[in-house]
Amino acid sequence: MTEASGNVGIVIVSHSPLVAEGTADMVRQMVGDEVRVAWCGGDPAGGLGTSVEAIMQAIDRAWTDAGVAILVDLGGAETNSEMAVEMIGEPRAGRIAICNAPIVEGAVMAATEASGGAPLSAVVATAQELSPL
Amino acid sequence: MTQADLITRLVSTAQAVVSRHADELTQLDQAIGDGDHGSNLKRGFDAVASEAAALAEKPVGEALKAAGMKLVMTVGGASGPLFGTMLMTLGKELGDAPDRAAFASAFSKAVDAVAARGKSQQGQKTLLDVLYPVSDALAQGKSGGEIAAIAAGAADATVPVKATRGRASFLGERSIGHMDPGARSVSLLIAAVAPVLEGK
């Protein structure tokens, strides 16, 4: 078990795999391997879009018992992430939160908060402070 | 018509209408969205059609749930969960041998589930602007032909509406003057499957 196993994990879901991977790079620069970070981007045919299956797999990769915070870009990423969380079902679904925050800034802020061992609610709140009310 | 025949015909009819109109749907979406509605739906309904034989072996409710799940997993845009939720809820709510009233009731619940999934409501220039009038028409006992006309009229009626949900809402006033692609695709699907459901 690495140190990351106790901290909230971060999942980045973008329509573009380049955006998702680049965001993950920026997160890693900040938190190294103290936080599990997984990303996905692109629709099931490889075009711009999101895939429920890929999101479920990313959640698995980032999973820790402290839960997972998901950062999304545009509408379909959010809807498909909600669908993925529902399909994962309880008890894990209750420990997965989708943040209402800008994807890049939100991911970096959430991961930084997570790296200090903060609970999921605090990680989400930190990311969402970036959103206009 | 046996249930297996009905399922087979519904699947092939839906796939055919989406395939035939995929370019048109994509053009509508290019005007006020991200331009993938036609290709996304085509990928989803092609995937459903590729499993038509397995679907036809299931009870109709289970077949609807499986088809909806296939759309969720293959469409790749928000329309995957939206169309998928419609079919999965219909499948869950339909009894084993639904009559007209049971179908109308299940359809109404499915439309509400789509609204919840999309955190949206009627009047925001989305597929709901077609689904709600169709649901009302079903409850009122309208014929398939009447329902198809209501669906087409409801899709046309999205043209002057300013979008307040979905990517078209980013355009604000500039979304006015374009038909909502989701409203159009739903109206096409309803018009195509209505005669099949009536046994024609």
Side-chain angles (χ1 to χ4, degrees):
Chain A
M1 299 290 274
T2 65
E3 199 180 345
S5 62
N7 292 335
V8 170
I10 303 293
V11 166
I12 298 155
V13 181
S14 172
H15 282 61
S16 159
L18 297 174
V19 168
E21 185 175 15
T23 303
D25 286 344
M26 291 177 66
V27 168
R28 289 209 184 289
Q29 188 184 38
M30 194 74 191
V31 300
D33 60 0
E34 292 171 7
V35 175
R36 288 192 181 174
V37 182
W39 60 268
C40 62
D43 68 27
L48 294 175
T50 52
S51 154
V52 173
E53 190 171 10
I55 296 168
M56 292 170 73
Q57 290 166 353
I59 292 169
D60 280 343
R61 292 197 300 278
W63 182 258
T64 79
D65 287 344
V68 163
I70 305 179
L71 280 297
V72 300
D73 55 8
L74 297 168
E78 181 183 13
T79 312
N80 273 325
S81 294
E82 288 167 350
M83 198 80 219
V85 173
E86 268 185 41
M87 286 170 61
I88 284 171
E90 297 299 341
R92 287 207 294 162
R95 280 184 276 165
I96 306 171
I98 301 168
C99 302
N100 177 21
I103 186 165
V104 177
E105 296 90 331
V108 173
M109 293 288 288
T112 306
E113 184 73 12
S115 70
L120 180 61
S121 58
V123 170
V124 172
T126 300
Q128 294 192 160
E129 281 171 16
L130 296 162
S131 286
L133 292 173
Chain B
M1 191 161 34
T2 66
Q3 281 212 345
D5 289 340
L6 177 65
I7 292 166
T8 303
R9 280 193 60 196
L10 286 172
V11 168
S12 66
T13 302
Q15 182 204 17
V17 72
V18 167
S19 186
R20 201 159 58 240
H21 291 273
D23 289 345
E24 177 204 337
L25 294 171
T26 285
Q27 282 160 18
L28 288 173
D29 198 25
Q30 279 166 346
I32 56 170
D34 50 0
D36 60 9
H37 190 55
S39 53
N40 279 355
L41 275 196
K42 183 174 186 310
R43 180 167 58 245
F45 280 90
D46 284 353
V48 171
S50 74
E51 299 192 348
L55 291 173
E57 288 175 10
K58 297 177 189 287
V60 69
E62 294 303 313
L64 280 164
K65 282 194 249 178
M69 182 59 66
K70 199 74 193 169
L71 291 179
V72 166
M73 300 310 280
T74 55
V75 167
S79 42
L82 296 174
F83 283 62
T85 295
M86 181 82 205
L87 295 190
M88 288 191 286
T89 311
L90 258 183
K92 188 173 68 143
E93 297 292 338
L94 281 177
D96 289 336
D99 59 10
R100 171 72 187 237
F103 181 73
S105 166
F107 193 92
S108 170
K109 286 176 180 150
V111 175
D112 286 341
V114 174
R117 170 73 58 207
K119 298 177 193 146
S120 183
Q121 58 195 3
Q122 197 174 350
Q124 297 190 300
K125 198 177 181 106
T126 72
L127 73 174
L128 293 173
D129 294 353
V130 170
L131 288 173
Y132 276 110
V134 165
S135 184
D136 291 344
L138 268 173
Q140 291 159 8
K142 303 264 199 240
S143 72
E146 288 170 323
I147 288 171
I150 285 166
D156 286 339
T158 65
V159 171
V161 175
K162 181 174 123 180
T164 52
R165 186 79 181 102
R167 216 177 270 206
S169 65
F170 300 172
L171 295 171
E173 302 284 336
R174 284 184 289 143
S175 65
I176 294 171
H178 301 277
M179 192 186 302
D180 177 64
R184 174 64 172 160
S185 58
V186 167
S187 75
L188 287 166
L189 282 162
I190 286 167
V193 302
V196 179
L197 290 173
E198 286 187 322
K200 289 176 185 165

